[in-house]
Amino acid sequence: MEERLSGEKPNFSDGISKKYEKDCFLVPGPVRMSSKTLESMSHPVITARGSEYKAIMAELNGLLRIAFNLSPTSYDIGVKSFEGDDGYSTIVVSGSGTAAMEMIISNRFSKKDIVLVPTNGKFGERVADMTREFSNVKHIDFGWGKSFDLTKLENELSKGNYSGIAFCHNETSTGITQDADKLSKIAEKYKVALIIDGITSVGGLPVHPLKWNAEAIVVGAQKCTAGPSGVSAIAINNSFIKNVMEKNENNELSSRYYLDLIPALKRAADDQTSWTPAINLTIGWIQALRELNEEGLENRWSRCEKLSKGVQNLFSDLGFTLLADSSQRSNTATAILYPDGIDDKWRNELAVKYNTYVIGGQDHLKGKMFRIGSMGITEKEEMIEGCKRMISCFSDFGIKLSDLDVESYFL
Ligand SMILES: Cc1ncc(COP(=O)(O)O)c(C=O)c1O
């Protein structure tokens, strides 16, 4: 690990390109942070309530609006940079993406509601489990990596007793992206709230809160925006806020305190947070978001797409099975099944011998697959080199693969 952090040159076996000699860190989050992002967090301590921090919050909110693909705002103190002219507000949450999801669910739904939660992987299942804590849930499991059956969802919503549909947009555990365009049309037709876990989609693949009329969507800093772990944000529209206010007045909501949205909104209007914010993490996130903004949101989407398509085509041509349905494979996370006879010992060897990091499968797929991230600031050269090292590592385990021109998959 020390070797990875210090970026020292590992000792590779013959046949591995010498062009890219650093570690290949290809996990689907937390992702590598730029050196400028890391350095920015080494910031002297400042108070949470002074104008210096208010300026940080104002800029962070302004930059988050860009990552969420919302209308731009000024980054200046005192102009409510968290609110745009499109009816959406952003709120920064201290805590990882799960905390932000909990803020959305616990403030929006009560035990009087029923929420439809379709899933095709671990993180969707978490949305179902979490929502069950605060509301009633109809969970429809389509199977890991399998597309949702939209007709089935529409039939369910047509029963008319649902308040919302909540789903994980980009299912990182299985490498599938949901068809949010179509889901949004169904939500619109049956007038239910659309609630989105966008933790590995916001900043990495096309997300259109306004077009989808999403009531709420979440991002985690450590994923597609290449920020630090432990801080996240929500984007919510006016309909979401209205519902929260009404339910709060009627005493319908379950208890919440740290994640209560109402004080958070009041404090945001003054460029503040309800509690002591994650000061240095938010400073780091600003730098990461500036870099996203410099690259351009759509350019980043298309870079992630090129990297993921390269990985998916390469491993398919090498004879591997990809878990997700081919029509909806994710641009930020690819899930690949191990060939017979291979398990997580391969991943360990990849890390130790090749200084290359991917992540394993979860739950029943633990030890049966690996996942490659193509999000954040990962460059083509790193991905190409990482794929070459993976191929060499499979060869070390006796898996003979065709000799393909890896570079040609990433042109
Ligand atoms: C799609 C998705 N949702 C939720 C989570 C959980 O987020 P966090 O670990 O930031 O709380 C993850 C983490 O990998 C994820 O990929």
Side-chain angles (χ1 to χ4, degrees):
M1 182 54 76
E2 238 167 61
E3 187 181 63
R4 193 182 74 66
L5 288 174
S6 67
E8 265 176 41
K9 198 168 114 179
N11 184 19
F12 297 123
S13 58
D14 287 343
I16 297 190
S17 158
K18 295 282 183 290
K19 268 183 275 167
Y20 186 96
E21 290 170 327
K22 294 179 289 187
D23 66 303
C24 295
F25 195 65
L26 300 170
V27 305
V31 302
R32 184 195 298 287
M33 285 181 266
S34 72
S35 49
K36 270 186 160 181
T37 298
L38 288 169
E39 282 158 19
S40 71
M41 287 188 281
S42 174
H43 190 285
V45 175
I46 56 173
T47 71
R49 301 291 171 217
S51 58
E52 199 178 356
Y53 194 71
K54 285 187 186 189
I56 288 168
M57 277 312 291
E59 181 174 358
L60 180 53
N61 277 315
L63 287 164
L64 277 171
R65 292 189 59 85
I66 293 171
F68 274 116
N69 199 19
L70 298 170
S71 65
T73 52
S74 149
Y75 301 170
D76 295 334
I77 305 184
V79 294
K80 296 195 177 179
S81 64
F82 77 111
E83 272 183 352
D85 58 7
D86 55 6
Y88 279 85
S89 305
T90 56
I91 297 286
V92 178
V93 182
S94 293
S96 69
T98 308
M101 273 310 284
E102 186 162 334
M103 187 177 217
I104 283 180
I105 302 288
S106 63
N107 282 276
R108 176 62 180 84
F109 298 116
S110 76
K111 291 289 181 188
K112 288 189 177 170
D113 296 305
I114 310 180
V115 182
L116 182 60
V117 186
T119 70
N120 46 18
K122 173 88 182 164
F123 294 108
E125 288 169 15
R126 258 195 217 169
V127 174
D129 290 344
M130 175 189 291
T131 308
R132 207 173 284 113
E133 292 292 321
F134 305 98
S135 181
N136 300 291
V137 169
K138 170 77 181 177
H139 175 193
I140 304 185
D141 180 358
F142 289 101
W144 281 39
K146 302 277 169 251
S147 309
F148 296 167
D149 176 344
L150 299 180
T151 312
K152 193 168 177 182
L153 293 180
E154 194 162 350
N155 288 341
E156 198 55 45
L157 289 175
S158 70
K159 292 177 184 166
N161 50 351
Y162 286 98
S163 309
I165 175 165
F167 66 95
C168 174
H169 182 210
N170 186 66
E171 184 46 86
T172 328
S173 66
T174 56
I176 190 164
T177 302
Q178 321 309 340
D179 189 336
D181 252 321
K182 290 200 178 126
L183 285 163
S184 71
K185 291 196 176 96
I186 300 174
E188 192 94 49
K189 182 169 171 190
Y190 295 99
K191 298 191 180 4
V192 297
L194 188 72
I195 305 290
I196 304 177
D197 166 345
I199 288 169
T200 53
S201 58
V202 173
L205 46 91
V207 164
H208 303 280
L210 189 61
K211 180 172 146 210
W212 297 341
N213 194 24
E215 272 206 12
I217 178 159
V218 165
V219 63
Q222 81 277 22
K223 304 285 188 179
C224 305
T225 64
S229 305
V231 63
S232 55
I234 62 174
I236 46 177
N237 71 7
N238 289 337
S239 160
F240 184 95
I241 296 174
K242 184 169 161 278
N243 274 290
V244 173
M245 297 299 178
E246 280 172 11
K247 287 188 162 157
N248 187 57
E249 263 170 38
N250 298 337
N251 284 323
E252 269 179 47
L253 295 169
S254 315
S255 5
R256 64 239 187 275
Y257 191 82
Y258 194 82
L259 296 176
D260 193 345
L261 182 72
I262 295 168
L265 280 168
K266 277 194 201 131
R267 300 298 268 168
D270 188 27
D271 301 307
Q272 298 225 350
T273 51
S274 298
W275 321 111
T276 303
I279 296 177
N280 289 53
L281 297 186
T282 49
I283 292 171
W285 203 5
I286 285 182
Q287 177 55 35
L289 288 164
R290 282 182 191 154
E291 288 165 21
L292 190 160
N293 196 21
E294 275 157 28
E295 180 175 6
L297 184 60
E298 296 194 2
N299 292 337
R300 182 162 293 189
W301 293 348
S302 90
R303 186 166 49 73
C304 293
E305 181 176 4
K306 279 190 194 136
L307 291 178
S308 65
K309 292 294 166 271
V311 167
Q312 290 161 15
N313 292 334
L314 172 67
F315 279 90
S316 298
D317 287 356
L318 287 169
F320 286 77
T321 303
L322 273 56
L323 182 63
D325 280 353
S326 57
S327 58
Q328 284 182 221
R329 281 185 191 143
S330 164
N331 290 347
T332 58
T334 297
I336 305 173
L337 298 176
Y338 284 138
D340 285 346
I342 299 291
D343 59 22
D344 274 339
K345 285 192 207 84
W346 173 82
R347 223 159 42 80
N348 191 44
E349 182 74 358
L350 188 69
V352 172
K353 178 171 173 191
Y354 293 91
N355 204 17
T356 292
Y357 301 81
V358 294
I359 210 142
Q362 290 164 290
D363 289 358
H364 61 285
L365 290 178
K366 201 171 170 54
K368 297 199 166 74
M369 60 175 246
F370 63 108
R371 292 176 291 146
I372 302 176
S374 48
M375 56 178 80
I377 55 171
T378 306
E379 285 171 16
K380 188 169 87 172
E381 290 66 32
E382 181 177 5
M383 186 61 87
I384 290 173
E385 180 59 27
C387 288
K388 287 181 182 174
R389 294 180 195 174
M390 289 178 226
I391 291 168
S392 294
C393 193
F394 277 117
S395 160
D396 294 348
F397 278 76
I399 303 288
K400 296 288 164 243
L401 300 169
S402 322
D403 189 13
L404 297 179
D405 175 8
V406 175
E407 271 95 352
S408 69
Y409 285 82
F410 296 90
L411 292 177

